[in-house]
Each structure stands twice: as C-alpha cells, then as structure tokens.
Amino acid sequence: SNHPHMAGAAVFLIAFLESLAIVGLAVPGWLLLVGIGSLIGGGTLNFWLVAFCSFLGAASGQIISYWFGYHFQDKVHHWGWIQRHQKMLHTAEDFFQRHGFAGVLVGQFIGPIRAVIALIAGVLDMPPKKFIMAIVIATVIWAPVYLMPGVVLGAALTFEKTQVWVLVGSLIIMAICLWLLG
C-alpha cells in the first residue's frame, strides 16, 4: 500500500511465477493475490489495472511453459526437476488427454494442474493457436476471480458492523446453495 505504483509489476511477477511450469508449485500466488485483492477492496489499488497485470503475468507464464513443452517434447520427461514430479506430470497428462481444450481452461483454476498444464499441452502437441486461445480465455477469467476474495476482504474491513453481518450471512447462504447444487 506504500507503493501502489509498483503494484502492477508485483502482480505481474506473482502471476507469472505462479503460472510457470513447475516453479508455480513453490509460489503461493493465490495467497499473495488475495492480499493484493484486499488492497483493492480497501481502495488503495485499482482493480482493473491489477487484474490486467495479473492476466498478462499468468498468460505469459503459461505461454512460456507451453513453448518449452512444444519445443522439447519428450525430452521434458528426462529433465531432473521434472522427474521429481512425475506423478503430477502423469496426472496432468491424463487430465489433458481426457479434456483437451477444456482441460487447459479448467486447469488454470486447479493449483497443481495450473503449474504443468501448459507444459503438457506443448509436449502433447496441442496446436499453438488453439492453446493461446484457451489460455487467453482462461486467464481473462482467472485474474479477477483470484483477486475477488481479497477484494471482498478488503472492502469488509471498511464496513460497519451491520454490513459485516450481512456479508457473512450472504457468504454462508451462497456456500450452502453451492453445496446443495453440488
């Protein structure tokens, strides 16, 4: 909050690292993005600028990961840092083979899958145009969705006591409805 002009660069870097193959497993990006979202909700940062920087970072990380998979194909399986995560790699491969384009879209929202889905899409030869279309759609949705819990939290900190109860009650009702729908 002391340096809001640096927020865009920080958000880009967080989303980029979280979306980069394997590296994303070690980056607590969702937690950092929730924290940044709370600054948006508190009025310190601009939502659209932060969401755009998050989109750019995530899409860039995914495209670079895809390029590595597409360029190196089966050689990827023999890299040391990939061999330590073979189980997750096989899970992501199965997920991608079952769902293809939709798997890239949905994979963006599943933490461990997000860290390898682009790499797998490249290894398994998904056409580049199709991949870029899927990742742009996914990250355009992903960026604001990942910021929203923090935005709500930040806004709630400025609420009066009665407004907090309305918010908590609404969230509980929504959770119950989602559970019943599931």
Side-chain angles (χ1 to χ4, degrees):
S1 66
N2 291 335
H3 304 284
H5 57 281
M6 296 297 295
V11 168
F12 176 90
L13 186 62
I14 291 165
F16 175 78
L17 291 173
E18 186 181 42
S19 298
L20 205 56
I22 304 301
V23 174
L25 296 172
V27 177
W30 67 270
L31 181 61
L32 296 171
L33 290 175
V34 167
I36 290 169
S38 69
L39 294 174
I40 294 168
T44 304
L45 300 176
N46 179 285
F47 174 79
W48 295 110
L49 173 67
V50 172
F52 181 69
C53 291
S54 182
F55 157 74
L56 286 179
S60 299
Q62 294 289 7
I63 289 169
I64 288 171
S65 298
Y66 170 83
W67 181 84
F68 271 98
Y70 193 78
H71 182 73
F72 293 106
Q73 300 280 304
D74 288 331
K75 294 175 189 168
V76 168
H77 290 282
H78 302 292
W79 293 347
W81 49 279
I82 295 283
Q83 287 182 335
R84 288 189 291 267
H85 301 284
Q86 284 296 317
K87 183 179 179 191
M88 183 187 339
L89 204 63
H90 291 304
T91 301
E93 282 179 347
D94 291 343
F95 184 81
F96 179 77
Q97 287 175 334
R98 278 194 313 262
H99 304 291
F101 185 88
V104 174
L105 291 173
V106 173
Q108 182 67 27
F109 294 89
I110 303 170
I113 299 287
R114 179 177 45 257
V116 293
I117 194 70
L119 182 72
I120 295 304
V123 167
L124 296 179
D125 231 6
M126 183 178 196
K129 287 181 182 178
K130 193 173 183 180
F131 173 78
I132 290 172
M133 184 170 56
I135 220 56
V136 165
I137 291 168
T139 53
V140 158
I141 297 167
W142 175 86
V145 165
Y146 262 58
L147 291 169
M148 287 314 288
V151 171
V152 170
L153 175 66
L157 295 175
T158 64
F159 286 173
E160 295 177 17
K161 189 175 182 179
T162 55
Q163 292 173 317
V164 171
W165 286 111
V166 169
L167 175 65
V168 170
S170 299
L171 290 173
I172 290 171
I173 291 169
M174 285 179 4
I176 291 169
C177 289
L178 286 173
W179 180 73
L180 290 172
L181 285 172

